Amino acid sequence: MIRVAVVDDQALMRAGFRALLDAEDGIEVVGEAADGQQGLALVRAQLPDIALIDVQMPVMTGIEATRRIAADPDLAPVRVVILTNYGLDEYVFEALRAGASGFLLKDTDPADLLQAIGIVAGGEALLSPAVTRTLIGEFVSRPPDRATPPGLEHLTRREREVTALAARGLTNEEIAAHMVISPFTAKTHISRAMTKLAARDRAQLVVFAYESGLVTARAPESRCAPDAPDHTLGR
């Protein structure tokens, strides 16, 4: 059973999410909250597997709530999926920096939302195709504005290579084919890199790759075109 908390300041939106999720076998809505502060309290009380959090709310924003969830060791099992009406703004980058594992537009098809919950609950990071393009575009349009994060020196050559490929949006299978290794070995390298960098998930690993300079931003590749079918940062 995947336990989900819904945090959104619009009552109608919360009701819609609850109705959709409660109707699905294997998913249980453990509570609702109308702002980030209430959402943080709900997450601490219920310790859900997934917290669906609106990005813009009164009292405390979704990004700040996400940041506090990610920083709390007691909430380490909780994965945040940020929901927004907006696709092209700074929220993508800031949400991932804060520790979000997923980022979806509110007009996402119900089937895609249910798939997203399953993917993130399984430990993967998820972005819709439109948001993936936004993220890469953000890195392309501006240089890094923070000091190089520590940890790069601890990665082996192979771990640096798989991290760079993951940042380009390649799945484990595609990384394996590129490096001529097995998908299991690719996944192992990714897991070790995440551990060394204290990355919560693959999304955090991608942010590190760009901020550290391991990957230099460039124009979006064809796999991030509008009709790209991939919804994850790699499986």
Side-chain angles (χ1 to χ4, degrees), residues 28-111:
E28 174 190 7
V29 176
V30 298
E32 302 175 20
D35 61 54
Q37 184 170 297
Q38 292 179 12
L40 184 59
L42 172 62
V43 168
R44 285 172 172 164
Q46 295 294 332
L47 200 65
D49 300 300
I50 302 293
L52 295 178
I53 300 182
D54 184 21
V55 71
Q56 288 186 308
M57 293 181 292
V59 184
M60 181 188 295
T61 68
I63 290 177
E64 180 58 28
T66 298
R67 185 175 292 113
R68 297 192 187 193
I69 290 171
D72 189 338
D74 293 335
L75 303 181
V78 180
R79 292 292 177 262
V80 174
V81 175
I82 290 286
L83 297 164
T84 182
N85 288 317
Y86 312 100
L88 300 174
D89 52 36
E90 72 279 8
Y91 297 128
V92 178
F93 192 60
E94 292 305 318
L96 291 176
R97 272 182 167 171
S101 295
F103 199 110
L104 290 173
L105 304 183
K106 286 187 177 181
D107 61 0
T108 297
D109 289 339

Side-chain angles (χ1 to χ4, degrees), residues 199-212:
R200 281 171 60 93
D201 54 35
R202 201 179 185 105
Q204 292 279 286
L205 192 66
V206 170
V207 171
F208 173 88
Y210 281 96
E211 289 193 324
S212 67

Side-chain angles (χ1 to χ4, degrees), residues 65 112 130 158 193 197 219:
D112 289 339
R158 281 294 205 182
L197 299 173

Side-chain angles (χ1 to χ4, degrees), residues 169-192:
L170 273 66
T171 65
N172 287 343
E173 289 74 15
E174 291 168 335
I175 291 173
H178 180 87
M179 297 178 63
V180 196
I181 57 178
S182 71
F184 176 80
T185 300
K187 184 175 181 179
T188 298
H189 285 314
I190 289 288
S191 296
R192 287 175 178 169

